[in-house]
Amino acid sequence: MSIISLDHVTKRFGDTLALNNLSLNVEEGELFGLLGPNGAGKTTAISVMLNLYEADAGSIQIFGQSMPKDELSIKRRVGIVPQHVSVYDQLTVYENIQFFAELYGFSPKEAKQKTEAAIAFVELDAHQKKRPPELSGGLLRRLNIACGIVHEPELIFMDEPTVAIDPQSRNTILENIRELNRRGATIIYTSHYMEEVELLCDRIAIVDEGKIIAEGTQDELKDRVMTLETARIKVDALTPHLLERLDALDHVQKVQYEEPYIEVSLDKDTPLAPLLDTLHQEHVHFTSITVDRPSLNTVFLALTGKTLRE
Ligand SMILES: Nc1ncnc2c1ncn2[C@@H]1O[C@H](COP(=O)(O)OP(=O)(O)OP(=O)(O)O)[C@@H](O)[C@H]1O
């Protein structure tokens, strides 16, 4: 079942076309990545899904129905971890999370249980009496997550939850996200960090200038890119004609040498035997060979003509 469905959605801010006829479906149980550079339209897409902004055109369904602004029964099923940390500086960690639990209508007893579970989940036990200004960036992000998921929602929106944090907190957060998904939550995860989306997400939509320019599993996206696999061969030395001979082989698109590696760009699924035969014939000793599929970064570059961090 589609948990979220956007059909030809357009949203303008003045002259800016933030969403340009954007359609996408997210299925139950997915960890779905919305990947795109700054200003691509990711946050706007989430905001129209949540009815925080009204779309100018197109239709949006959540749990198979459109969401009126005051529909608490749907909102209780949804968790939001916003891009900017949204907590109260005057409340402690515990009180912040409890506040969000009570906001969703839980009794004080239930709110207490849920708060304690959320604190344990994001591993903030040792910090629960601190106030946000006393927390590091990574701990603040974890508090932000706890506030967004304390009511155990079925559908969770995470808008760049790992921006500007240390690697250890990032790993904890990524593991939290996997665990929430394993427990059954559908997760929509926006990021402009290619590596994270590549690590986390089952299916990915690449967004650029308000449009989905490609959507699919990582393998499907990589298959869409005509290029190439790269064979990296570690060699002891070159012979005068080796690079030329490799370049002349069928299905070889490009050969480069950066000591001690020869990098050969190959059409997909090219057999490696002719490469290895050529190395043997030239009496070149090699100590390792690896073949890499294109990364999502390559996919993004191939589809948009620009790198993600531009
Ligand atoms: N409230 C707003 N008023 C005016 N313009 C806006 C507003 N919100 C977004 N925009 C513009 O719409 C476009 C899409 O912005 P959006 O924040 O959705 O992108 P994003 O992919 O989430 O980027 P980022 O990764 O920087 O958050 C941008 O050009 C942005 O400047």
Side-chain angles (χ1 to χ4, degrees), residues 96-109:
N96 262 292
I97 302 171
Q98 187 181 32
F99 171 80
F100 280 91
E102 286 175 0
L103 205 63
Y104 283 97
F106 291 108
S107 69
K109 191 171 162 215

Side-chain angles (χ1 to χ4, degrees), residues 13 16 18 37-44 53 83 160:
F13 296 105
T16 306
N38 291 326
K42 304 180 297 293
T43 303
T44 309
Y53 290 142
Q83 187 171 9
E160 310 235 12

Side-chain angles (χ1 to χ4, degrees), residues 6-23:
L6 265 61
D7 191 19
H8 296 96
V9 171
T10 296
K11 174 69 187 169
R12 282 180 185 281
F13 296 105
D15 291 341
T16 306
L17 188 54
L19 298 180
N20 182 1
N21 213 12
L22 184 141
S23 299

Side-chain angles (χ1 to χ4, degrees), residues 15-187:
D15 291 341
T16 306
L17 188 54
L19 298 180
N20 182 1
N21 213 12
L22 184 141
S23 299
L24 74 87
N25 286 298
V26 177
E27 305 300 321
E28 190 172 359
E30 278 191 308
L31 212 171
F32 186 89
L34 263 184
L35 177 69
N38 291 326
K42 304 180 297 293
T43 303
T44 309
I46 290 185
S47 302
V48 299
M49 290 177 206
L50 291 166
N51 210 10
L52 301 173
Y53 290 142
E54 202 173 329
D56 298 323
S59 71
I60 299 132
Q61 301 239 301
I62 183 165
F63 303 116
Q65 51 190 300
S66 45
M67 183 158 78
K69 270 199 167 70
D70 54 354
E71 189 55 86
L72 188 63
S73 64
I74 291 184
K75 287 191 172 166
R76 268 179 85 147
R77 299 167 69 185
V78 175
I80 306 167
V81 179
Q83 187 171 9
H84 301 289
V85 174
S86 307
V87 295
Y88 295 95
D89 280 355
Q90 62 276 31
L91 301 181
T92 63
V93 163
Y94 188 100
E95 289 162 350
N96 262 292
I97 302 171
Q98 187 181 32
F99 171 80
F100 280 91
E102 286 175 0
L103 205 63
Y104 283 97
F106 291 108
S107 69
K109 191 171 162 215
E110 284 171 324
K112 186 169 176 284
Q113 279 165 355
K114 301 231 180 261
T115 301
E116 283 163 11
I119 286 176
F121 182 67
V122 297
E123 296 173 26
L124 280 178
D125 312 66
H127 306 279
Q128 52 183 299
K129 294 200 174 117
K130 291 185 185 159
R131 293 190 161 71
E134 298 170 71
L135 300 178
S136 69
L139 295 180
L140 263 181
R141 287 268 161 203
R142 278 147 69 176
L143 172 59
N144 202 36
I145 291 177
C147 293
I149 57 111
V150 63
H151 57 299
E152 298 173 357
E154 295 159 54
L155 170 62
I156 304 170
F157 291 87
M158 298 228 167
D159 197 358
E160 310 235 12
T162 61
V163 163
I165 55 170
D166 60 280
Q168 197 195 337
S169 286
R170 168 175 297 195
N171 288 340
T172 310
I173 288 175
L174 296 184
E175 196 36 55
N176 284 164
I177 293 168
R178 282 196 198 93
E179 180 56 25
L180 288 166
N181 183 241
R182 277 195 288 267
R183 292 180 185 182
T186 305
I187 298 178

